[in-house]
Amino acid sequence: MKDVQFGELPYLRHDCSVKACMYSPDGSTFLVALSDGNTDVYTTSTWERTWILNGHSPEVKSIAYSPNGDHIVSGSNDSTVRVWDVTTGDCLYILIGHTGVVYSVAYSPKGNVVASMDSHEKVRLWDLESGDCRSVISGCGHIYAMAFSSTGDMIAFGGTDCRVRLWDVTSGECRSILIGHSRAIVSIAYSSQGDLLISRQYYDDMRVWEVKTGVCRHTMKENQYTVSPKGNQVALYSQSEEGVELWDIETGALLRRLSGHKGGTYSVAYSPQGDQIVSGGYGKGSYDKEVRLWDVETGECRQTMAGHTRNVTRVLFSPKGDYIASVSDDNTVRLWNVGSGSSRQISIHHTGAVMGLKYSPKRNQVASCSEDSTIRLWDAATGFNSRTLIGHSSRVNKISYSPQGDRLASCGDDMTVRIWDVVSGACLRILTGHTYYIFDVTFSPQGDQIASTGGDSTIRLWNVETGEHQHVLKGHNDWVWVVTYSPQGNQAVSAGDDGTVRLWSVETGACQHVLTGHTERIQSIVYSPNGNQIASASNDKTVRLWDVKTGVCTHLLIGNQGYARLVYSPRGHQVASASSQASEVRLWDTESGECRHTLVGPKHCFDIAYSPRGNLIASWSDAGEAILWDVETGDCLWNLDHDGSTQSRSYAFLHTFVWMSDVDSFITGDVTGSVRRWDVTRERDRHRVHMRWRSTNGQLTVEDACVQDVQGLTDLNKRLLMQRGATGDPSNRLREASKKVMTMASVVSRLKTSSGAGAQIPSPISQPISSARPREQHTEQAVDAGTFDN
C-alpha cells in the first residue's frame, strides 16, 4: 500500500472545545485555538504538533496570522493580546490595555498594524514595530464586527448602535458613517477590490454598500454570509433553515440554491479560487454532522464527507484549496482531501513526476514521459490512456514526435534513445553511443534524422530508418542541455554548461559558428520561426539575440533574474523570457530588443508557451500555479491557483506544459504523475478555463474493513487507520463483535425482565478513551467508511 492515498487525514482531537482554527497563508502550518487558553501549532506536511503557545488564561477567543505567515496574534478572556513567532513559538509582545474579553483580532494587509476589540466597547489599533497602542476607538456602543480594507488604510466596524463606521487607520479619524440597519451589526466584510462593503445585522438584513458614496446598493434577508474571493458573489446561510443561497453582489440577484443538509448550516467557506464552496451541517436534536463540497457554477454537490459525531461549527479551505478543515462540537478537527469530482475520464497515471509532454502534429494525441521510466500516450479528446511504452530502465527526460506524427523518440538517464511506433506501441530502434545521461532529443523537420545530446558533451545525429550514427558533433567541453533544428532542417544549434552556443551543419557535421558572450550555463535556445535569428538565455541573467548568418549578437536583453526559459511568438515578432528566480515574464520585440511587457505572475516561473495563434501566453511555476496572459495588453486573464473557473485542485509542481495545435487547449503534467487537459473559452469579456480531463487513480471505498500486516503506509495513513479502528487481526474484530452482540443481548434481556417491553435500550456507541495527558489524540473504536485513491 505504498502509493495508496486516503480521502481523509487523521483528525486532531482535543480534551477541550476548539474556539478557532486557521491555515497559515502558505498552508505550511495550522492553528487550533482552545478553550483551555492554549493555541496548538501543527505542521501540515506531517500534521505533528510543533508548538503549544501557552500564556493566555482560558480561553483563546480569536487568532490570526500575519500576511507573511511569520507571526500569530491571539486574543483571550484575560484581556491581553499576544504576538507569537511561528518559527520559535516565542511570545514577542504582550499588548496590554483592554479591560474586557478580547474576542476578535486582525492583522492589517501590510502586517504593520493589529486591530483588537473587546467586550467593553473598545477597538484598539496596535503598532507592531513599537508595540504601542496607536488608537483607541470607542463611544459607538458594543462593537461586534470589524474589517480592514484591502489596502489597509481604512478599518470598518459596527455594533449595537446599528451603524457602520469607516475609520482612517493612520489618523484615527472617522471618515464615514453608513446608516440603515435597525439592529446590532454582527458581521462586516470588504469586497476584494475594496469598493463595496457588506454588513449584516443580528438575525436578518444584510446590506451591500458603496464605500465611496455610502449608498446602500442592496438589502438581502438572511442570517449569515460569506463573500467569494473575487468579491462578486455572496453565500447566505442560516443555522435554522436548510440550504445555502448564492447571490450576485453587483445585481442583487439570486443565482442558485444549494440544498442537501438535513438541517441548517453553521459555517460556509469559498475555495481560494472561488469555484467551490464547503458547508458544515448544523441542527438541533438529530445532528446533520456532514461536510459538503459544492460546485459554485452548477450548484451540484461534489462530495459528502462524513465522520463528525456532532454539529460542524467551522469549515475552511487550505490556501491552495487542496484540503478542507472542519471543526465540530465533538472536539475534533478533521482534515479532508479535496477531490476534483469533475473530470470526464479517469485513467491510470504515471507513478513519478511528468518530465515532458508533446502534442502530436497529426493525431489527436498527447505523449508524456516520466521519472517512472515509462511513456504514456493519451487521447487528447477523452484522456484515455491508449498506450504505455515500456523499455527505458530509468527516468525518461524528453520525447519528440516525428513531423508525420507516426513515430516518437525518447531519451533518458539509461543513456539510450528509443524510437517508437505510436500506433502499435512497438519499439523500432534502440540507439546507443552516449556515455552519460541524455537530456534532449528532437526530430529534424523532415523526420529523417534525430539529434540527441547529454552529459557526455556531444551531440549525435542519427538516421531514423537505419538507426546509424551520421555524425558525432564535438566542441562543447561540458554538459550540453539542449539541441534543436532550424526550421529549414539544414542546421542545428546546441548549448550547455560551457556558456557557448554552437551552430552545426547537419549535412557535414561541421561547426559553423561559436557564439560567445554568455558567462554561465545556457539551458534555453530557440530558433525564430523563419530561422534567421536565435535566442539564448543563460544563468548570467541575460538573453541574447543572434543573427544566424553572421553569428553576431544583435541584441543583449537584460532584466531577467536567474536562468530564463525562452519561446518565440508564432509570427516571430516577439520573444518571451521567464525568470526562474522572479515572478515575471518579459515580452521582447525581436527587431528593436525593447521590452514590450513585464508580466508579474507566478513565483519562480518555470516555463512559458505561446498559444498557436499567438494571442495568449501561458507561464507556470514550481508552486503549481499557471497563468494565462493577453499578449497584446499584458493583462492576466486567468490564474490556475486563484481563478474561480478551474475545476480541480491539489496541483503540485507543474513540470511541463504544451498547447494543442488546433484548438485553444493545453496539457499540463506535474510531479505527482498527473496529466490534465484544459480548454480555454471566451465568454463575453472574460476567458474561462475548464479542465477537460485528467489522469488519476481510481477509488476504492470500503466499510467495516480491517487490514493487517500492511507495508509501505505513511505515518499519516497509519494514524488514520488507527483512528478508524481498521488495523489489527480481522479475526479479533470478529470475536469482539461477537462479544458485543452477546453483551447487548443480555442487556436487552435484563431490561425486559426488570422494566417491561417499554424500557429504553441504551445505544451501543463506545465513548472516547479518556487520558490524563492534555490534547493527546485518541483512537475511536467505531469504523467509519473511508475512501482510498489507489
Side-chain angles (χ1 to χ4, degrees), residues 446-650:
Q446 293 75 28
D448 59 345
Q449 191 181 75
I450 285 174
S452 61
T453 189
D456 62 5
S457 306
T458 67
I459 300 98
R460 294 175 184 260
L461 306 182
W462 313 81
N463 184 289
V464 170
E465 291 301 322
T466 65
E468 295 177 352
H469 271 125
Q470 291 183 314
H471 298 291
V472 180
L473 312 180
K474 298 182 179 180
H476 289 286
N477 57 25
D478 209 335
W479 288 9
V480 183
W481 288 99
V482 60
V483 61
T484 187
Y485 283 94
S486 65
Q488 296 77 23
N490 62 333
Q491 192 180 64
V493 62
S494 61
D497 279 358
D498 64 6
T500 66
V501 177
R502 294 175 182 261
L503 303 182
W504 310 87
S505 168
V506 169
E507 184 176 356
T508 65
C511 183
Q512 298 174 328
H513 292 293
V514 180
L515 313 181
T516 60
H518 287 298
T519 58
E520 292 185 40
R521 169 190 295 177
I522 303 170
Q523 284 186 286
S524 185
I525 50 171
V526 283
Y527 275 98
S528 63
N530 61 15
N532 295 331
Q533 190 180 70
I534 289 172
S536 61
S538 167
N539 283 19
D540 64 11
K541 303 179 182 180
T542 67
V543 175
R544 291 175 181 262
L545 304 183
W546 312 85
D547 185 281
V548 171
K549 290 184 179 180
T550 64
V552 173
C553 178
T554 57
H555 295 292
L556 175 62
L557 313 180
I558 300 174
N560 290 296
Q561 300 296 316
Y563 72 85
R565 298 288 187 177
L566 296 173
V567 62
Y568 274 93
S569 63
R571 292 191 291 119
H573 68 294
Q574 201 175 71
V575 65
S577 63
S579 297
S580 64
Q581 297 178 13
S583 306
E584 60 184 32
V585 174
R586 293 173 182 261
L587 307 184
W588 308 86
D589 186 286
T590 54
E591 285 191 10
S592 65
E594 294 179 358
C595 181
R596 295 298 188 190
H597 292 294
T598 299
L599 314 178
V600 179
K603 296 179 180 179
H604 309 299
C605 191
F606 187 71
D607 215 339
I608 46 176
Y610 278 93
S611 65
R613 291 184 292 173
N615 60 320
L616 303 175
I617 190 167
S619 62
W620 61 100
S621 76
D622 58 4
E625 186 178 10
I627 293 181
L628 287 187
W629 311 89
D630 186 295
V631 171
E632 186 67 27
T633 64
D635 293 335
C636 175
L637 303 178
W638 173 80
N639 190 319
L640 172 64
D641 207 32
H642 300 294
D643 186 90
S645 61
T646 56
Q647 297 177 340
S648 180
R649 289 297 173 263
S650 188

Side-chain angles (χ1 to χ4, degrees), residues 42-227:
Y42 291 87
T43 300
T44 57
S45 58
T46 62
W47 287 102
E48 297 290 342
R49 186 175 53 201
T50 53
W51 301 111
I52 300 176
L53 309 183
N54 192 322
H56 286 297
S57 59
E59 61 191 38
V60 179
K61 284 292 190 180
S62 61
I63 49 175
Y65 274 99
S66 62
N68 61 12
D70 292 341
H71 296 143
I72 297 165
V73 63
S74 59
S76 169
N77 282 12
D78 61 11
S79 303
T80 67
V81 176
R82 292 175 181 255
V83 180
W84 310 83
D85 187 293
V86 174
T87 305
T88 65
D90 294 334
C91 181
L92 304 178
Y93 295 109
I94 302 177
L95 309 179
I96 299 174
H98 287 290
T99 57
V101 174
V102 180
Y103 55 85
S104 184
V105 292
Y107 269 96
S108 67
K110 295 179 181 178
N112 60 331
V113 175
V114 162
S116 58
M117 61 183 183
D118 65 24
S119 57
H120 287 180
E121 305 181 355
K122 289 183 173 61
V123 173
R124 291 178 178 266
L125 303 181
W126 307 88
D127 188 308
L128 290 186
E129 289 188 5
S130 63
D132 296 333
C133 181
R134 176 184 290 186
S135 301
V136 179
I137 303 169
S138 61
C140 312
H142 195 98
I143 301 171
Y144 289 125
M146 65 179 180
F148 279 101
S149 65
S150 56
T151 58
D153 57 342
M154 299 289 290
I155 186 170
F157 62 88
T160 54
D161 70 349
C162 308
R163 300 181 179 189
V164 178
R165 286 176 164 80
L166 308 183
W167 285 71
D168 188 296
V169 172
T170 304
S171 66
E173 297 177 353
C174 182
R175 297 297 187 188
S176 180
I177 301 177
L178 311 180
I179 301 174
H181 285 291
S182 59
R183 294 179 180 174
I185 297 166
V186 295
S187 182
I188 290 176
Y190 277 93
S191 65
S192 57
Q193 294 80 15
D195 57 336
L196 299 176
L197 185 139
I198 300 174
S199 59
R200 179 177 65 88
Q201 71 180 34
Y202 177 70
Y203 189 70
D204 60 5
D205 191 6
M206 188 191 78
R207 292 175 178 256
V208 180
W209 309 84
E210 293 181 0
V211 173
K212 190 174 182 179
T213 64
V215 173
C216 179
R217 182 179 290 185
H218 306 296
T219 300
M220 305 173 189
K221 297 291 183 181
E222 197 54 68
N223 195 359
Q224 293 175 284
Y225 70 90
T226 299
V227 181

Side-chain angles (χ1 to χ4, degrees), residues 288-330:
D288 181 282
K289 301 175 289 189
E290 292 177 345
V291 177
R292 289 178 177 259
L293 182 68
W294 309 86
D295 185 296
V296 169
E297 191 70 25
T298 65
E300 176 186 358
C301 181
R302 290 180 172 180
Q303 289 178 251
T304 300
M305 292 159 273
H308 285 297
T309 59
R310 297 192 68 187
N311 281 334
V312 180
T313 58
R314 178 80 192 280
V315 290
L316 67 156
F317 277 92
S318 63
K320 289 189 176 181
D322 49 353
Y323 289 101
I324 290 170
S326 59
V327 180
S328 170
D329 283 340
D330 62 12

Side-chain angles (χ1 to χ4, degrees), residues 353-359 367-376 389 392 394-401 407-420 437-443 450-454 480-484 495 522-526 565-566 606-607 620 655-657:
V354 178
M355 302 302 296
L357 285 172
K358 291 293 181 181
Y359 182 72
S368 61
C369 63
S370 171
E371 282 183 335
D372 65 8
S373 75
T374 68
I375 300 151
R376 294 182 182 267
L389 312 181
H392 284 285
S394 58
R395 180 173 66 184
V396 184
N397 291 318
K398 284 290 180 68
I399 48 177
S400 175
Y401 273 101
R407 294 181 181 180
L408 188 78
S410 61
C411 67
D413 286 356
D414 61 1
M415 298 178 287
T416 68
V417 174
R418 294 174 182 255
I419 303 175
W420 309 83
Y437 301 154
I438 305 175
F439 302 135
D440 200 10
V441 65
T442 184
F443 272 94
I450 285 174
S452 61
T453 189
V480 183
W481 288 99
V482 60
V483 61
T484 187
I522 303 170
Q523 284 186 286
S524 185
I525 50 171
V526 283
R565 298 288 187 177
L566 296 173
F606 187 71
D607 215 339
W620 61 100
H655 222 288
T656 185
F657 181 111

